[in-house]
Amino acid sequence: MIQLEERIAVVGAGLAGSLVAHALAQRGAKPEVFDKSRGTGGRLSAARLGSMSADLGAPVVEQPVAARLLAQCATLPLEAWEHKAADFEGVAAAAVGRYVAVPRASALTRHLLQDIPLHTQVRVTAVEAAASGGWHLLSEQGETYGPFARVVIAAPAPQAVPLLASAPALQRAAAGVNMSPCWVLVVQLPVRPESVAQLDWLEAGDDVLARACRDSSKPGRGEGEVWQLQASSDWSQRYCEAEPDWVAEQLLETFAQQIGVPLQPLQQRVHRWLYADVAEAPLVPSLASPLSSDHTLGICGDWVGGGGAAGAVTSAEALIAALEAGR
């Protein structure tokens, strides 16, 4: 059972970790969140693009996931996105309910964590038993945090493995997960390309690009012409270790070829998500519980719930249920 004033560490400020921390605080516990990045969001992060910003990770939240999120926190800054979609041949796509956080994707996790202590730029390297009971977190910088009654690991599976040394079943589950990378390029263009003047979302282009999304069409965004180009999973895997400048050149050139317009971006930013999605997770579904045998260590994240934002939400719901039930 979750105890009032129980001090709980959550390692990872992505969607799953933020949902768990929010739920713990709502139930009277005292969560503290740790993340190696400068902000929150994980794959819901936004990036600076000169004086502007753009969503750097997951471009949207699908309607079924948005409904589940709003059921847990009705005040989340989520808005429906009215947009026009097509494939790269110009064939209109069926209407799909998509939501976005306003004014940028990371607003979602910032809202969930707004009243919760947050330690950023802290890379947790070990979880060790405290002499007085509970757990200490050790950081790459040599700092020690805690003790905490419980620790929740909400990091990608490969990063979770070394933190789960005291929970063998959970560690084996994490070690059995393969995650796939994804290259993303965000660009600001001087004007909107005429060939896509009526489109905001282009899907399934070719072997290089998976999709192109007009970020500046989303609700709450500022002025400017900003697009997010997401490479396909296979292409990202093939060129996972390629030079970022070369990757940016390939993605931009492919997009220009697909829409039939030469492009000269005003500014751009390329990013590799090394653990973008779940490629294979053979052991996770067989786990009896997302908690260790003594219920003091837990896991959540998209890799626990089957991948994507839906998997992140599912894993957070399962972990909170297990903590409440004491199992």
Side-chain angles (χ1 to χ4, degrees):
M1 298 291 290
I2 300 169
Q3 305 296 319
L4 290 175
E5 301 295 309
E6 185 177 15
R7 196 178 180 200
I8 302 175
V10 179
V11 181
L15 181 57
S18 298
L19 282 169
V20 167
H22 175 79
L24 289 170
Q26 294 294 105
R27 289 160 174 75
K30 296 179 67 176
E32 293 184 35
V33 178
F34 297 79
D35 199 278
K36 60 183 177 60
S37 301
R38 290 183 293 178
T40 70
R43 277 156 280 166
L44 288 175
S45 295
R48 298 303 303 175
L49 199 62
S51 61
M52 308 173 64
S53 68
D55 293 342
L56 193 60
V60 295
V61 178
E62 304 293 347
Q63 191 278 333
V65 178
R68 291 166 65 187
L69 290 172
L70 290 167
Q72 297 188 42
C73 182
T75 59
L76 283 176
L78 276 172
E79 291 189 20
W81 182 25
E82 298 296 330
H83 62 289
K84 294 183 179 179
D87 63 20
F88 274 84
E89 300 299 322
V91 179
V96 175
R98 294 185 174 107
Y99 283 68
V100 298
V102 177
R104 58 190 64 88
S106 56
L108 196 63
T109 48
R110 284 202 308 274
H111 184 88
L112 289 167
L113 299 176
Q114 60 185 326
D115 297 319
I116 295 171
L118 173 65
H119 307 267
T120 58
Q121 294 184 285
V122 175
R123 185 184 293 272
V124 176
T125 55
V127 178
E128 293 188 352
S132 57
W135 301 96
H136 279 130
L137 303 185
L138 307 184
S139 78
E140 188 177 59
Q141 296 89 340
E143 297 171 313
T144 300
Y145 299 87
F148 298 98
R150 308 184 206 240
V151 176
V152 172
I153 305 300
Q159 296 173 345
V161 170
L163 306 182
L164 292 168
S166 298
L170 302 184
Q171 188 180 52
R172 284 194 298 273
V177 174
N178 293 321
M179 302 196 73
S180 58
C182 181
W183 281 105
V184 172
L185 175 69
V186 289
V187 296
Q188 181 189 7
L189 304 176
V191 295
R192 188 166 187 174
E194 185 176 348
S195 61
V196 289
Q198 303 303 317
L199 293 173
D200 307 297
W201 183 278
L202 296 164
E203 189 78 31
D206 59 13
D207 291 339
V208 180
L209 278 180
R211 66 184 53 89
C213 165
R214 187 173 185 261
D215 193 81
S216 46
S217 291
K218 298 175 182 177
R221 271 51 177 182
E223 298 294 325
E225 183 67 17
V226 178
W227 285 80
Q228 185 207 77
L229 311 179
Q230 181 177 321
S232 71
S233 179
D234 288 346
W235 193 89
S236 295
Q237 183 68 60
R238 192 179 315 134
Y239 297 107
C240 183
E241 302 301 327
E243 288 295 323
D245 288 346
W246 179 86
V247 169
E249 179 182 327
Q250 298 303 307
L251 296 182
L252 187 65
E253 181 180 331
T254 300
F255 184 49
Q257 291 174 351
Q258 290 286 356
I259 66 175
V261 178
L263 300 175
Q264 294 294 328
L266 299 175
Q267 50 195 344
Q268 63 185 41
R269 179 166 178 172
V270 66
H271 182 79
R272 182 190 67 177
W273 294 101
L274 187 57
Y275 307 122
D277 205 355
V278 178
E280 185 181 11
L283 292 179
V284 174
S286 66
L287 278 175
S289 170
L291 292 173
S292 60
S293 57
D294 63 0
H295 305 162
T296 64
L297 296 175
I299 55 173
C300 65
D302 60 352
W303 62 274
V304 183
V313 176
T314 295
S315 73
E317 293 171 340
L319 180 58
I320 289 298
L323 287 169
E324 286 184 318
R327 56 175 173 79

